[in-house]
Amino acid sequence: MSEAGLAFERFRVDDREEWLMRLGRPHTPAILFVPPLFEEMNRTRALIVAVMNRLAKRGHCCWLVDLSGTGESERDLGDVAWRDWRHDVTFAAAYIAEKSKKPLIASLRSGALVDDEAKARGWWRFAPQDGSSVARDMARSGLAGGVEYAGYAPSDDLKIALQDAKPAAVRILRTVRLATDRGEADSKIEGPALWRRSEPGNNAELADAVAADIQRWSGECVAF
């Protein structure tokens, strides 16, 4: 157990169980992190954990969901349907709400494609992208590496649904992007696009900026 309160907890999703990582003390303001899908999930995990650590030390309880077929999940990615990922986020948010209150949902990149059905006090999205962009990146990575879909073996349902997926509109939303990103955003921050690097990595200045922005938005969402 770390000073911030590291723990791993199982939660129920339909007829199965999945995993959440927790950093922070229960009963403090909750933030549920939804990682990017597929390859970018690994490339940004160190950043997500660094942000969670910073927020936990500032009085938040941060949760990171392992989507079905990823991380500690016992399911095979080839058996996972698109609705399963959406249910994972929805049921994770409900589990957190039972332990404290409704969480703020912080989604990175393509995590924003599966976060909108959950009950939350607000949403924070970092560099959200359409599913078609994810599919193109995966196909390009696969060709470069000589393996289909960058070495992943998703179900046909996942691949088909991903092509048409777009971040859905939600009521209380703040969108943040990198300064180099031309997309629309409520704010832009300096830092490297870690998800574009060939290997997983982190950047302390980017983690500081992301944590600070989430903390401000979390405080504003308390009023809603």
Side-chain angles (χ1 to χ4, degrees):
M1 185 73 69
S2 71
E3 181 183 354
L6 170 65
F8 296 88
E9 301 186 23
R10 300 191 76 139
F11 68 101
R12 193 83 184 164
V13 187
D14 299 324
D15 60 347
R16 55 192 167 82
E17 289 186 333
E18 298 296 346
W19 285 95
L20 282 160
M21 183 179 82
R22 172 172 62 79
L23 273 170
R25 296 174 178 82
H27 312 303
T28 56
I31 302 172
L32 171 59
F33 284 80
V34 184
L37 309 179
F38 299 114
E39 196 171 37
E40 290 189 4
M41 184 183 301
N42 297 322
R43 293 176 179 173
T44 59
R45 188 174 181 89
L47 172 66
I48 294 172
V49 173
V51 171
M52 291 172 65
N53 263 308
R54 284 161 170 76
L55 289 168
K57 292 175 181 177
R58 299 172 190 173
H60 289 79
C61 187
C62 297
W63 305 77
L64 174 61
V65 60
D66 276 347
L67 299 174
S68 298
T70 74
E72 298 300 319
S73 175
E74 298 174 0
R75 299 188 70 193
D76 188 285
L77 189 60
D79 297 328
V80 175
W82 185 254
R83 67 177 179 277
D84 292 329
W85 280 353
R86 296 180 64 79
H87 284 187
D88 291 342
V89 178
T90 299
F91 280 77
Y95 174 83
I96 294 166
E98 288 179 0
K99 299 178 77 70
S100 55
K101 295 182 179 180
K102 288 190 295 185
L104 172 72
I105 294 181
S107 302
L108 282 76
R109 303 283 288 159
S110 51
L113 300 173
V114 295
D115 70 355
D116 57 283
E117 288 185 349
K119 292 183 178 180
R121 57 189 172 93
W123 283 258
W124 183 95
R125 291 173 176 168
F126 185 43
Q129 60 181 154
D130 292 346
S132 58
S133 175
V134 181
R136 286 195 302 271
D137 288 345
M138 293 295 291
R140 190 181 302 116
S141 296
L143 289 173
V147 289
E148 185 179 4
Y149 230 69
Y152 289 83
S155 66
D156 289 340
D157 183 86
L158 279 181
K159 289 190 285 188
I160 293 170
L162 183 65
Q163 289 286 351
D164 297 324
K166 297 181 183 299
V170 289
R171 190 169 61 91
I172 305 168
L173 170 66
R174 178 173 174 82
T175 299
V176 177
R177 296 183 182 274
L178 293 177
T180 53
D181 190 331
R182 296 180 180 178
E184 294 184 2
D186 297 297
S187 181
K188 295 196 174 183
I189 57 179
E190 298 289 342
L194 296 174
W195 51 86
R196 294 297 183 197
R197 294 182 174 178
S198 58
E199 297 293 335
N202 195 13
N203 180 276
E205 290 77 15
L206 179 59
D208 287 341
V210 168
D213 202 276
I214 293 176
Q215 183 178 17
R216 284 193 296 270
W217 185 235
S218 178
E220 292 186 27
C221 287
V222 170
F224 290 103

